[in-house]
Amino acid sequence: IVLQNCHLAKSWMPKLEKIVESFSGNASIHPSFRLWLTSMPAKYFPVPVLQASVKMTFEPPKGLRANMIQSYLADPISDPEFFDRCQKQPQWRRMLFGLCFLHAWLQERRKYGPLGWNIPYEFNESDLRISVRQLQMFLDSYDETPLAALNYLTAECNYGGRVTDDKDRRTLVTAVLNIYCPQILEDGYRLSASGMYVVPTDALDSHEATVEYIRQWPPVAKPEVFGLHENADITKDLGEVDLMLKTMLLTQAQSGGGGGGGGGWSEVI
């Protein structure tokens, strides 16, 4: 049995907890029975259910390079038939590269806290997938590249549907305009002010060549690629350390028990 999006049924969570508790020691349950649950992170999700479960989580890879590589190795871009099907291959491969860069850029910007986004939006792979399919469909349907339509669908619908802050929306619209523009179809189009990230020419000849080109990027992107000052790294690093220490303290608090022989801080870690 698969129960999807459990976070949408907040009032039903106590009942789910009781159902899962009833599984323990119940001989009438078939040995092959399995219960799968999917959920976004939610504070009201029953902790006993998590403790009794085998947990799997999916998070975007850390870093601009790793994020780009994952996008190219995921469906539908990794499908050779889909990748080579577009009738306008030069425009398709350049704009696809720019779109994947945009997706990684939007996700990585979250790590800078309020400097990146006023609200930390959960941009995910579904946003990229629908944008990729729309890009190919529009390129095949029109003689001229419909940049205005692509900008609207990507910035206002696919990704913009999650954005509620007006300043964040302005940032998103500007970022999409920098990708879906006539200049991206020219050689050597810069994706960052420093020129560290550009839309390649020869590396777009094949899917494998594009992935290999991305692997040559530095593993850690500098703040300038996001339009931020170098000191923005301080905010990002402090945030990561703060999250790590809070997680450690939470682990320590939950590991306390009634026994007298509690371990020290290093043992808890």
Side-chain angles (χ1 to χ4, degrees), residues 9-234:
K10 180 179 180 180
S11 61
W12 188 71
M13 290 297 100
K15 186 173 182 180
L16 173 64
E17 181 178 350
K18 293 181 180 180
I19 293 175
V20 174
E21 288 178 351
S22 67
F23 293 165
S24 179
N26 192 336
S28 62
I29 297 179
H30 194 278
S32 299
F33 171 78
R34 297 293 184 272
L35 175 63
W36 292 77
L37 307 173
T38 69
S39 174
M40 295 287 287
K43 295 182 179 179
Y44 50 82
F45 195 90
V47 175
V49 175
L50 293 174
Q51 294 174 339
S53 306
V54 177
K55 293 167 284 294
M56 294 182 292
T57 182
F58 177 79
E59 297 180 355
K62 186 175 181 179
L64 202 63
R65 181 182 70 176
N67 207 310
M68 282 281 291
I69 292 175
Q70 183 187 26
S71 295
Y72 267 85
L73 297 181
D75 182 73
I77 303 175
S78 60
D79 183 5
E81 181 181 353
F82 177 83
F83 189 78
D84 298 327
R85 188 170 59 196
C86 185
Q87 300 173 10
K88 300 177 181 177
Q89 282 296 314
Q91 297 94 319
W92 157 249
R93 298 194 180 192
R94 287 174 182 268
M95 298 183 72
L96 175 64
F97 189 90
L99 178 59
C100 291
F101 181 87
L102 171 70
H103 178 75
W105 189 90
L106 295 175
Q107 289 190 323
E108 288 298 306
R109 195 177 171 91
R110 289 179 51 198
K111 298 178 181 179
Y112 292 93
L115 295 178
W117 300 106
N118 289 331
I119 301 173
Y121 304 102
E122 294 289 342
F123 301 118
N124 54 44
E125 296 302 313
S126 64
D127 302 323
L128 176 63
R129 281 196 296 268
I130 184 62
S131 298
V132 168
R133 295 186 184 278
Q134 286 177 347
L135 173 61
Q136 187 178 94
M137 179 183 67
F138 274 67
L139 287 176
D140 287 341
S141 301
Y142 295 90
D143 295 332
E144 296 184 1
T145 305
L147 294 175
L150 288 170
N151 270 294
Y152 181 83
L153 286 173
T154 305
E156 300 291 346
C157 301
N158 302 340
Y159 289 95
R162 304 177 183 274
V163 179
T164 55
D165 183 84
D166 60 329
K167 300 299 188 298
D168 289 341
R169 180 173 295 277
R170 182 188 301 176
T171 301
L172 173 61
V173 171
T174 303
V176 176
L177 281 171
N178 288 334
I179 298 299
Y180 284 157
C181 62
Q183 290 77 17
I184 199 172
L185 302 178
E186 301 174 0
D187 292 342
Y189 179 69
R190 290 187 175 190
L191 296 170
S192 65
S194 65
M196 175 67 71
Y197 302 90
V198 299
V199 178
T201 303
D202 297 337
L204 297 178
D205 292 341
S206 66
H207 181 276
E208 294 76 13
T210 304
V211 173
E212 187 59 33
Y213 170 79
I214 299 172
R215 294 186 190 278
Q216 299 174 7
W217 285 1
V220 179
K222 294 183 178 180
E224 65 89 16
V225 71
F226 304 102
L228 303 174
H229 190 271
E230 290 184 0
N231 289 340
D233 266 342
I234 299 176

Side-chain angles (χ1 to χ4, degrees), residues 223-252:
E224 65 89 16
V225 71
F226 304 102
L228 303 174
H229 190 271
E230 290 184 0
N231 289 340
D233 266 342
I234 299 176
T235 302
K236 176 176 70 69
D237 295 340
L238 286 175
E240 291 178 351
V241 172
D242 181 65
L243 178 61
M244 180 183 67
L245 293 178
K246 285 182 178 179
T247 304
M248 289 182 176
L249 291 174
L250 184 63
T251 304
Q252 183 189 34

